[in-house]
Amino acid sequence: MKSRIYLRPPRPFIPRPRRRMPISQIDTTIYDPDPPPPPVVVVVGSSFQAVRGPLRLLWDNLIDNGAVTLTASSATVSVQNIRQVHAGKAWRTGGKTEETLTVDLQSSELFIRCAAVTGFNFTAAATIELQHSTDNVTYTSFPQVVVGDARVIAFFFDLKMSRYWKLIFRDPTNPDGYITIGRVFLGDYWEPVSQVARGWRVELVDETDVERSIGGQKWANERPIFTRVAFRLPALQRDDAFTNFFDIVRRVGLRTDIFMIIDSESSRIRTATGLYGRFVGIPQIRNPARVIYDTSEVVFEESV
């Protein structure tokens, strides 16, 4: 007996109507497919600082202008050394109780919104006072700053156009018996409208060479430990990206040391977020959208 096989014709495809989601229920948030880690909180020595204030670059130093006059209350090593980009070549005072640096900019038409100091031998109890004047007679003081464990001291304030400036350093308990100042900045700063993206990082770098002998003993060719930071600046407008950031990088390149303050909320800048150093590699400007620009990773190393 033969068996029979019946073939059923294929079902016709009938498209089902799509259910449309109301506009009010659509999530318009743009998600990053690779979300960055949460903001970094840095602990370096006794420094503890979260990133709260804006990033600022202090790069055009009026003190480097040859016409500017520098006068020190005392100097066993020349005060002119603070014009050097190398903070290790420092001005040394003859005392420690109260030493003054007076700066005559030779003009009252210059924009000044910040001052900074680094490369010093201060104790934690040392103080710095900043003053300005239009006539070199009557000076107005900003609140003095206690150095503490900071390696960069920066003052930020509303725009001033004073010709004369004073920095007063007091460190009466300094065991060295004198004060050294490696670098002083006076001028303006650039602050991007779009701030540092989440996921920035800071690290300590130790380039010490460690060798091992045949017998197993180790010895080290010590090098100074320094700080390195890396970050991105996202969503910059065209002027901020090219007229400002790109032009600054073009001018300073990899050869010039500048001040970079990642967290400028406080005038007492901590070790991890206030650096004097230079760029490592030239950052790029990228164009992810028509009128929006991002930087590539910006790497900055402290000079020691």
Side-chain angles (χ1 to χ4, degrees):
M1 183 176 179
K2 295 182 178 181
S3 60
R4 296 182 181 181
I5 301 174
Y6 297 92
L7 299 177
R8 179 180 294 176
R11 293 182 179 179
F13 174 73
I14 303 176
R16 297 182 179 179
R18 297 176 109 184
R19 178 178 174 271
R20 297 192 175 185
M21 182 180 295
I23 295 295
S24 61
Q25 297 181 16
I26 298 177
D27 186 357
T28 58
T29 303
I30 299 175
Y31 291 96
D32 186 344
D34 186 16
V40 176
V41 175
V42 182
V43 180
V44 180
S46 59
S47 300
F48 184 83
Q49 186 87 359
V51 176
R52 299 186 301 271
L55 174 136
R56 289 170 178 169
L57 296 181
L58 288 59
W59 66 279
D60 189 10
N61 196 348
L62 298 177
I63 285 180
D64 294 345
N65 186 332
V68 171
T69 302
L70 304 176
T71 305
S73 55
S74 68
T76 58
V77 178
S78 175
V79 71
Q80 302 300 323
N81 283 351
I82 66 171
R83 298 185 196 268
Q84 299 285 332
V85 296
H86 305 294
K89 188 176 181 180
W91 159 45
R92 180 184 292 184
T93 69
K96 60 181 180 177
T97 302
E98 182 172 304
E99 297 292 332
T100 302
L101 169 67
T102 304
V103 181
D104 180 358
L105 296 175
Q106 306 292 335
S107 173
S108 298
E109 299 179 355
L110 301 172
F111 295 165
I112 302 165
R113 291 192 296 165
C114 62
V117 181
T118 193
F120 41 71
N121 69 331
F122 290 133
T123 64
T127 63
I128 302 177
E129 183 178 350
L130 178 66
Q131 301 178 343
H132 66 100
S133 172
T134 57
D135 57 8
N136 200 23
V137 177
T138 303
Y139 279 82
T140 302
S141 296
F142 296 98
Q144 72 176 9
V145 173
V146 178
V147 173
D149 59 353
R151 292 169 68 170
V152 171
I153 297 295
F155 296 83
F156 296 104
F157 42 83
D158 294 335
L159 178 66
K160 306 295 180 186
M161 299 180 70
S162 301
R163 173 175 172 174
Y164 302 96
W165 293 79
K166 281 186 179 181
L167 282 157
I168 303 173
F169 309 103
R170 302 180 179 94
D171 196 8
T173 61
N174 195 315
D176 296 334
Y178 55 82
I179 294 172
T180 58
I181 306 292
R183 193 76 164 116
V184 175
F185 179 95
L186 192 63
D188 205 351
Y189 60 84
W190 174 67
E191 177 184 317
V193 176
S194 174
Q195 279 298 311
V196 174
R198 295 175 62 193
W200 75 280
R201 70 180 189 273
V202 58
E203 60 184 344
L204 293 175
V205 181
D206 186 353
E207 295 182 336
T208 296
D209 295 325
V210 179
E211 302 287 342
R212 184 191 294 270
S213 68
I214 296 176
Q217 296 85 1
K218 288 185 178 180
W219 71 92
N221 180 16
E222 288 191 43
R223 307 269 178 90
I225 296 176
F226 60 90
T227 305
R228 178 190 292 152
V229 297
F231 59 90
R232 291 184 304 107
L233 295 174
L236 296 174
Q237 299 297 317
R238 182 179 180 84
D239 285 348
D240 228 13
F242 290 100
T243 307
N244 293 319
F245 180 74
F246 206 63
D247 188 55
I248 290 172
V249 174
R250 185 199 307 275
R251 288 170 182 266
V252 304
L254 305 179
R255 63 192 176 277
T256 304
D257 288 26
I258 64 173
F259 287 88
M260 185 186 71
I261 312 299
I262 291 184
D263 183 356
S264 56
E265 183 177 85
S266 171
S267 61
R268 184 164 164 271
I269 306 303
R270 299 285 192 163
T271 302
T273 57
L275 301 177
Y276 177 70
R278 62 184 62 186
F279 292 110
V280 180
I282 298 296
Q284 302 173 355
I285 299 292
R286 298 171 178 171
N287 184 206
R290 188 173 181 182
V291 293
I292 298 296
Y293 300 85
D294 293 349
T295 69
S296 60
E297 185 176 63
V298 181
V299 181
F300 192 88
E301 282 186 353
E302 178 186 24
S303 294
V304 292

